[in-house]
Amino acid sequence: MVRLVLVLGDQLTPDIAALKAADKARDVVVMAEVMGEGASVPHHPQKIALILAAMRKFAAGLEAEGWRVAYSRLDDPGNAQTIPGELLRRAAEFGASEVLATKPGEWRLLRDLEALPVPVRVLEDDRFLCSEAEFAAWAEGRKQLRMEWFYREMRRKTGLLMEGGQPVGGQWNFDHDNRKPAKSDLLRPRPRDFAPDAVVEEVLALVAARFAHFGRLRPFRWATDRAGALAALREFVEERLPRFGEEQDAMLEGEGFLSHAVISPYLNIGLLGPMEVCLAVEAAWKAGRVPIQAAEGFIRQVIGWREYVRGIWALKGPAYLEGNALGHSRALPGVYWGAETGMACMRAAVGQTRDLAYAHHIQRLMVTGNFALLAGADPGQVHEWYLSVYVDAFEWVEAPNTLGMSQFADGGLLGSKPYVSSGAYIDRMSDHCGACRYRVKEKVGDRACPFNLLYWHFLDRHRDRFRANPRMAQMYRVWDAMAEGHRNAVLAGAEAVLARLEAGEVV
Ligand code: SF4
């Protein structure tokens, strides 16, 4: 009997579990472009175009290798426009007895597959370096799941940057040499733009006609096949990796990429694998072309943080998506969808997101994430925004980053304290404040930086939860030492900002 082999848009890896388990001689690969996925949340048009173009090229590659592929284009008549609908249609067409699938990275889709009226075998996605069982065993009995300890296990397991069972250079983490403010007078090689070919152009026209979501579709700069993704990796290692560590937390007006790798979209849809990118970076360090702090910082992001958040996602299940430990319920302010704002840092981060479908981790964590948390935005809406607007965002990686790391919605499972800061951090790490309507040094009054006002408001309104937290006690001492009149003025200023946000006025 024929089996259907489901390959999703973020599973574009030739040896993915479902393909490994399939039989080329008798099984049919099913790939489907469907509105049910493209519009499950308002995904950025560039993200939809990247996935559809990469799917089309991947399908052509499978056919060239002898696979029988049933491929549904978005505008095919008869397309059921959902993954389950397409599987049922293909099952009837081919008389299939079973569906082979690799576990999707979104709980909604897994539930849909499990509810199908045909037998479905869901195989673990073994592209990750740490299996779900391994992560669960590591997490077992631990009160707090600290990434740093997990990362050390992964270094031992992979052997990356290890020598005789010890970390090279005698330490696990070199971040004290990283994270410097960016220098605006430096010339940096920008990641190369991949000019759209005929396949991409056809997809861009389709996406323009079908999706009116937030975000600019053009210019479209992404690679859409493995050769392009490998070229992007090579170029990063040769040109930007040497400065990656020291610039990884910096922000500069008009510099969307700085020295970041910008390969996360390729990793997350399967065009690159985690081990090969780490080996490329390790090799550059071994050859003396990049400093240890750059290589170690990058490898930690991949075998540490990336594997860790995926482990959390798998371990905690769909309930994790409902977390709202701080009881925040404010609607996500319009500025996130491009409404006018006087805050230069927010304008830069959201504008770049609209244009590039990309922002680096500090823009996501310390600007847009920080502001959403300080403003008390509903974490479910914040989660949906991040899942929508970033080209590399898939639930398994986005949800723990947003709900856990950024919004503290999981009550502290990922982070021992919430990632909140006043404007001072943004001022130190960026050049935004000089061009802002607000004054970062002002603590009260109409020109006071909204981050300054909301920071203290956040601490004040969550005093019961955080005052005993040893990592926050000092800030409560600072707050309590301020004159009562000053504290009241700060709180009144913050309330005024929140009222303007709720009224949809420009902040
Ligand atoms: Fe952002 Fe405040 Fe600086 Fe303006 S002053 S750019 S709002 S941190």
Side-chain angles (χ1 to χ4, degrees):
M1 284 288 275
V2 171
R3 294 176 302 180
L4 301 182
V5 186
L6 177 65
V7 176
L8 296 167
D10 59 350
Q11 297 180 341
L12 307 181
T13 311
D15 64 347
I16 194 150
L19 283 171
K20 266 192 300 207
D23 179 353
K24 202 185 272 187
R26 68 169 171 144
D27 296 333
V28 176
V29 176
V30 173
M31 297 181 71
E33 305 171 0
V34 292
M35 288 301 287
E37 292 309 306
S40 60
V41 293
H43 290 293
H44 196 294
Q46 287 185 41
K47 179 184 188 181
I48 300 171
L50 166 67
I51 292 171
L52 298 193
M55 283 173 71
R56 289 182 182 194
K57 293 181 182 185
F58 185 78
L62 289 181
E63 279 174 335
E65 283 175 20
W67 287 96
R68 195 154 46 132
V69 181
Y71 192 96
S72 308
R73 292 185 172 216
L74 197 71
D75 50 1
D76 280 349
N79 185 330
Q81 300 297 352
T82 65
I83 294 296
E86 278 301 273
L87 284 170
L88 289 179
R89 190 166 76 94
R90 297 301 190 185
E93 182 182 341
F94 294 101
S97 59
E98 189 183 30
V99 174
L100 286 178
T102 308
K103 184 173 174 176
E106 189 162 335
W107 293 114
R108 169 187 59 82
L109 206 42
L110 181 62
R111 271 197 309 267
D112 285 352
L113 292 181
E114 288 172 345
L116 275 174
V118 287
V120 181
R121 235 170 88 203
V122 178
L123 304 163
E124 176 157 4
D125 189 344
D126 58 10
R127 293 175 299 173
F128 293 94
L129 301 173
C130 178
S131 72
E132 293 185 22
E134 267 180 290
F135 190 85
W138 174 79
E140 178 82 38
R142 288 176 194 261
K143 258 182 154 170
Q144 286 200 317
L145 303 180
R146 289 281 158 257
M147 195 283 286
E148 188 64 29
W149 303 116
F150 171 77
Y151 167 57
R152 293 180 188 188
E153 291 298 316
M154 293 302 290
R155 286 274 294 277
R156 291 190 185 96
K157 178 178 175 180
T158 60
L160 288 162
L161 301 181
M162 297 292 287
E163 216 167 50
Q166 295 300 315
V168 296
Q171 59 194 69
W172 296 98
N173 182 318
F174 291 84
D175 256 358
H176 63 264
D177 297 322
N178 284 333
R179 303 180 167 174
K180 297 177 180 144
K183 297 187 186 95
S184 55
D185 56 351
L186 202 76
L187 281 175
R188 295 175 185 79
R190 192 182 183 277
R192 134 179 177 204
D193 295 337
F194 291 83
D197 58 18
V199 173
V200 176
E201 284 293 355
E202 194 180 3
V203 164
L204 291 176
L206 180 67
V207 172
R210 295 292 182 106
F211 297 94
H213 296 168
F214 170 80
R216 291 203 174 124
L217 178 59
R218 292 175 187 269
F220 181 87
R221 57 163 308 279
W222 302 100
T224 49
D225 55 21
R226 175 152 168 86
L230 281 170
L233 170 64
R234 263 196 312 274
E235 180 205 83
F236 162 64
V237 173
E238 281 166 21
E239 298 184 0
R240 299 191 304 285
L241 178 60
R243 299 184 60 86
F244 166 79
E246 63 182 78
E247 282 200 337
Q248 65 178 311
D249 288 5
M251 297 173 278
L252 279 182
E253 200 78 30
E255 289 265 11
F257 301 123
L258 287 163
S259 296
H260 288 271
V262 204
I263 58 166
S264 49
Y266 311 134
L267 271 170
N268 293 353
I269 66 173
L271 297 181
L272 296 175
M275 199 60 192
E276 70 179 333
V277 304
C278 290
L279 287 170
V281 165
E282 186 190 48
W285 169 73
K286 282 184 176 164
R289 295 201 303 271
V290 303
I292 183 65
Q293 65 267 27
E296 189 280 317
F298 178 87
I299 286 171
R300 177 156 27 94
Q301 293 300 321
V302 178
I303 67 168
W305 188 252
R306 184 174 187 270
E307 295 285 332
Y308 169 79
V309 295
R310 190 267 184 163
I312 297 274
W313 174 84
L315 185 70
K316 293 297 167 186
Y320 192 84
L321 307 179
E322 310 303 324
N324 188 359
L326 300 181
H328 284 170
S329 59
R330 187 162 280 108
L332 191 67
V335 57
Y336 285 83
W337 300 108
E340 185 187 343
T341 177
M343 294 183 286
C345 56
M346 286 290 285
R347 190 167 55 236
V350 174
Q352 175 188 320
T353 299
R354 177 197 60 216
D355 295 347
L356 303 177
Y358 175 82
H360 69 67
H361 69 138
I362 289 298
Q363 293 172 299
R364 299 189 206 194
L365 182 66
M366 299 310 289
V367 180
T368 48
N370 186 14
F371 191 74
L373 181 56
L374 292 176
D378 174 351
Q381 290 188 29
V382 183
H383 157 54
E384 185 172 315
W385 185 77
Y386 281 96
L387 184 60
S388 303
V389 300
Y390 289 115
V391 66
D392 54 9
F394 296 88
E395 185 185 276
W396 64 266
V397 61
E398 175 279 330
N401 270 300
T402 301
L403 295 168
M405 179 80 168
S406 168
Q407 299 300 298
F408 206 78
D410 66 4
L413 183 76
L414 256 78
S416 54
K417 76 178 204 32
Y419 270 85
V420 284
S421 81
S422 68
Y425 175 83
I426 295 170
D427 190 31
R428 186 164 71 250
M429 299 308 295
S430 81
D431 61 352
H432 296 313
C433 296
C436 187
R437 175 196 294 174
Y438 299 100
R439 296 285 167 264
V440 73
K441 303 272 188 248
E442 291 187 21
K443 312 293 182 210
V444 290
D446 289 347
R447 305 272 283 186
C449 167
F451 283 87
N452 293 347
L453 297 166
L454 293 174
Y455 175 73
W456 294 115
H457 190 276
F458 175 92
L459 289 190
D460 192 70
R461 72 180 187 264
H462 292 299
R463 172 183 284 272
D464 287 348
R465 175 178 282 269
F466 294 124
R467 74 180 156 190
N469 183 321
R471 296 187 65 199
M472 299 183 74
Q474 170 62 13
M475 295 320 295
Y476 279 102
R477 279 196 289 276
V478 171
W479 177 233
D480 291 341
M482 291 178 197
E484 191 180 350
H486 179 79
R487 275 188 280 140
N488 288 338
V490 170
L491 295 178
E495 291 288 349
V497 170
L498 294 173
R500 275 157 56 206
L501 288 174
E502 281 199 3
E505 294 171 11
V506 177
V507 170

